């Protein structure tokens, strides 16, 4: 096999019944349990997508769920495109049957495959990268493992028969990575010879050496009712800053009346714009969107859409604030600057600030408004247009 690898896939196993957790989880199978507003299997897909060399993932769901879950996964990718290929297949009666079904869905060009339990949602991208690195360095199979801290004894009924040497023991995790052809060969032999195994490494060990890399203590498996506590969200408040910038040209007599911060200003130049041309609220809306990665106002309110012709920018800002609220971003402070030669804004500054406070639901000490000129330089200095910049600080619940 050519190395380094540039075509690896993950198989995310989400086909289990989760009987040990069913009652504690209200009847929800553990792969569908939500953590931070997404099911466990989707967290694993996100992590795989952040690793260079991973081209796609195969989701393996219970046979009865597979058709519906394919539609569900399609919706997830529409709302959050992970930038990798994907497919869905039905699982089998045993774990090894589900893996074998997933292997059959891999493209022919797939060089290495990583098999992962969806019930391990906390796996890191660095661990997956470490597995790929080990394969690139010549390993045909590699698994992550952690040192065993408890003393392990072999028992027969209620009697200890042997104390195992702890230094030689490891707790094995997933993902487990293998050359694709090797893992397929191992599964074919397992079917032909009736092997019963608990993980894929147990199969491959009969055909080739399997390497070990350090696992992660945080890469735990959600198995028992007490593990559900690990899914309880710990709310973290993170400060976020968004920055906005907008420009509008001055127009002729019949163009848009001058509005700034929602305040009409008499005697000012007209504005060329699709909406009402409020350059300050446009910059402010873009800055608010920036606090939660919401894109820009041109995406949400395109100037190619007739319904936004002459639109009140205050209304558009309120829609942006609703998006921020949904993203759990709370606006804490705004700093606004308008750059223009005309009109003179100091007589209107207090009213503009008051209206911004009203629109944002903020106190006066949380809003700063100022205006300046560019000393007759550039297009603003030549009285051809106006521009505004906005900086917004938000506190976002993560």
């Amino acid at each position: 096999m050519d190395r380094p690898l540039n075509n690896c896939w993950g198989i995310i196993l989400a086909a289990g019944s989760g009987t040990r957790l069913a009652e504690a989880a209200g009847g929800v199978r553990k792969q569908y349990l939500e953590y931070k507003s997404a099911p466990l299997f989707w967290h694993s897909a996100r992590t795989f997508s952040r690793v260079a060399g991973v081209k796609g993932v195969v989701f393996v769901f219970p046979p009865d769920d597979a058709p519906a879950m394919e539609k569900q996964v399609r919706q997830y990718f529409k709302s959050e495109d992970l930038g990798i290929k994907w497919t869905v297949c039905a699982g089998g009666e045993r774990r090894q049957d589900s893996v074998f079904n997933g292997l059959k869905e891999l493209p022919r060009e797939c060089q290495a495959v990583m098999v992962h339990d969806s019930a391990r949602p906390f796996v890191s991208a660095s661990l997956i990268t470490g597995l790929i690195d080990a394969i690139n360095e010549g390993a045909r199979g590699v698994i992550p493992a952690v040192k065993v801290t408890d003393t392990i004894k072999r028992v027969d009924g209620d009697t200890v028969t042997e104390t195992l040497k702890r230094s030689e023991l490891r707790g094995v995790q997933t993902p487990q990575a293998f050359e694709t052809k090797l893992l397929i060969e191992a599964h074919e032999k397992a079917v032909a010879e009736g092997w019963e195994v608990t993980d894929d490494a147990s199969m491959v060990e009969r055909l080739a050496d399997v390497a070990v890399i350090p696992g992660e203590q945080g890469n735990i498996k959600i198995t028992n009712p007490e593990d559900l506590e690990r899914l309880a969200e710990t709310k973290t408040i993170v400060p976020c800053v968004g920055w906005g910038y907008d420009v509008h040209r001055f127009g002729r007599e019949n163009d848009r009346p001058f509005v700034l911060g929602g305040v009409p200003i008499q005697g000012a130049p007209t504005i060329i714009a699709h909406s009402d041309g409020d350059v300050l609220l446009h910059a402010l809306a873009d800055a608010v969107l920036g606090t939660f990665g919401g894109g820009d106002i041109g995406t949400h309110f395109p100037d190619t859409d007739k319904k936004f012709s002459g639109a009140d920018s205050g209304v558009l800002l309120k829609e942006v604030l609703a998006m921020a609220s949904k993203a759990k971003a709370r606006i804490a402070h705004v700093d606004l600057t308008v750059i223009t030669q005309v009109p003179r804004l100091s007589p209107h500054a207090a009213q503009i600030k008051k209206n911004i406070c009203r629109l944002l639901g903020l106190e006066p000490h949380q809003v700063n408004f100022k205006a300046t000129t560019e000393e007759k330089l550039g297009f603003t200095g030549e009285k051809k247009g106006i521009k505004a910049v906005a900086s917004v600080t938000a506190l976002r619940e993560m």
Side-chain angles (χ1 to χ4, degrees):
M1 182 175 65
D2 294 335
R3 303 170 200 266
L5 307 179
N6 58 15
N7 199 317
C8 304
W9 278 61
I11 294 177
I12 299 176
L13 297 174
S17 61
T19 52
R20 279 175 286 184
L21 270 179
E23 184 176 350
V28 179
R29 286 173 169 166
K30 62 183 176 183
Q31 61 268 42
Y32 305 141
L33 290 172
E34 288 205 350
Y35 172 64
K36 292 188 175 180
S37 302
L40 298 190
F41 70 82
W42 187 249
H43 285 278
S44 296
R46 282 174 173 167
T47 307
F48 273 103
S49 74
R50 294 198 294 266
V51 178
V54 175
K55 299 298 183 184
V57 292
V58 178
F59 297 95
V60 187
F61 293 110
D64 292 343
D65 294 355
M69 290 310 301
E70 182 171 11
K71 294 178 182 179
Q72 186 67 53
V73 171
R74 191 176 305 279
Q75 285 302 119
Y76 278 116
F77 270 92
K78 282 183 179 180
S79 60
E80 184 185 353
D81 187 0
L82 300 183
I84 56 176
K85 298 176 182 178
W86 64 275
T87 188
V88 166
C89 74
E93 184 177 343
R94 302 169 298 175
R95 182 188 188 279
Q96 65 197 75
D97 300 324
S98 295
V99 175
F100 200 19
N101 289 353
L103 288 171
K104 295 172 184 176
E105 299 296 320
L106 296 175
R108 293 183 62 182
E109 62 271 18
C110 176
Q111 298 165 294
V113 59
M114 288 165 284
V115 181
H116 184 57
D117 296 321
S118 65
R120 292 185 186 269
F122 307 116
V123 63
S124 72
S126 61
L127 179 59
I128 296 173
T129 299
L131 293 168
I132 294 177
D133 288 344
I135 296 288
N136 278 331
E137 291 165 7
R140 302 192 67 196
V142 57
I143 59 175
V146 293
K147 292 182 178 179
V148 174
T149 56
D150 295 324
T151 297
I152 306 297
K153 297 183 182 290
R154 193 188 307 277
V155 299
D156 181 5
D158 296 330
T159 304
V160 173
T161 60
E162 181 183 4
T163 299
L164 303 179
K165 192 173 182 180
R166 190 167 58 187
S167 61
E168 297 177 354
L169 302 175
R170 295 292 183 272
V172 177
Q173 302 176 333
T174 68
Q176 298 183 356
F178 308 94
E179 292 179 359
T180 305
K181 291 182 179 178
L182 176 62
L183 187 56
I184 290 174
E185 179 186 354
H187 274 270
E188 288 174 342
K189 282 186 173 293
V191 172
E193 300 178 14
W195 300 350
E196 291 277 352
V197 299
T198 56
D199 71 350
D200 297 278
S202 302
M203 291 184 184
V204 174
E205 290 161 16
R206 308 185 189 199
L207 306 178
D209 290 337
V210 174
V212 177
I213 65 168
E216 296 173 334
Q217 292 295 338
N219 184 23
I220 60 99
K221 186 176 182 180
I222 305 301
T223 304
N224 300 306
E226 54 267 26
D227 296 329
L228 293 175
E229 295 180 8
R230 297 177 181 269
L231 300 182
E233 294 188 35
T234 301
K235 295 179 181 179
T236 303
I237 304 300
V238 178
C240 303
V241 176
W243 193 81
Y245 174 84
D246 196 41
V247 173
H248 279 298
R249 288 186 293 165
F250 290 145
R252 299 176 181 176
E253 184 177 350
N254 295 324
D255 289 314
R256 306 284 187 199
F258 191 99
V259 179
L260 192 69
V263 177
I265 297 180
Q266 300 298 320
T270 58
I271 296 290
I272 298 174
H274 182 67
S275 64
D276 64 3
D278 194 326
V279 67
L280 182 59
L281 293 191
H282 292 176
L284 176 56
D286 264 349
V288 172
L289 287 166
T291 63
F292 61 93
D296 59 69
I297 57 173
T299 300
H300 298 286
F301 317 110
D303 58 12
T304 55
D305 193 329
K306 292 182 180 179
K307 71 181 180 182
F308 298 121
S309 178
D312 184 335
S313 295
V315 174
L316 303 185
L317 177 61
K318 284 194 173 295
E319 291 197 32
V320 168
L321 291 171
M323 297 178 204
S325 178
K326 187 176 181 181
K328 298 182 179 180
R330 179 172 57 85
I331 309 304
H333 187 270
V334 301
D335 190 18
L336 309 168
T337 303
V338 174
I339 303 98
T340 189
Q341 201 71 31
V342 291
R344 187 165 172 266
L345 294 178
S346 56
H348 309 282
Q351 188 178 359
I352 291 171
K353 176 175 176 175
K354 182 178 180 181
N355 198 51
I356 296 293
C357 290
R358 179 185 65 81
L359 290 170
L360 298 179
L362 298 179
E363 297 296 325
H365 69 273
Q366 295 175 287
V367 175
N368 188 46
F369 171 77
K370 51 197 180 295
T372 188
T373 70
E374 288 185 309
E375 301 293 335
K376 299 183 179 181
L377 298 175
F379 76 89
T380 62
E382 295 174 6
K383 303 179 183 179
K384 294 180 179 179
I386 183 172
K387 59 186 175 183
V389 294
S391 176
V392 173
T393 303
L395 300 174
R396 189 175 182 194
E397 188 179 294
M398 305 293 282

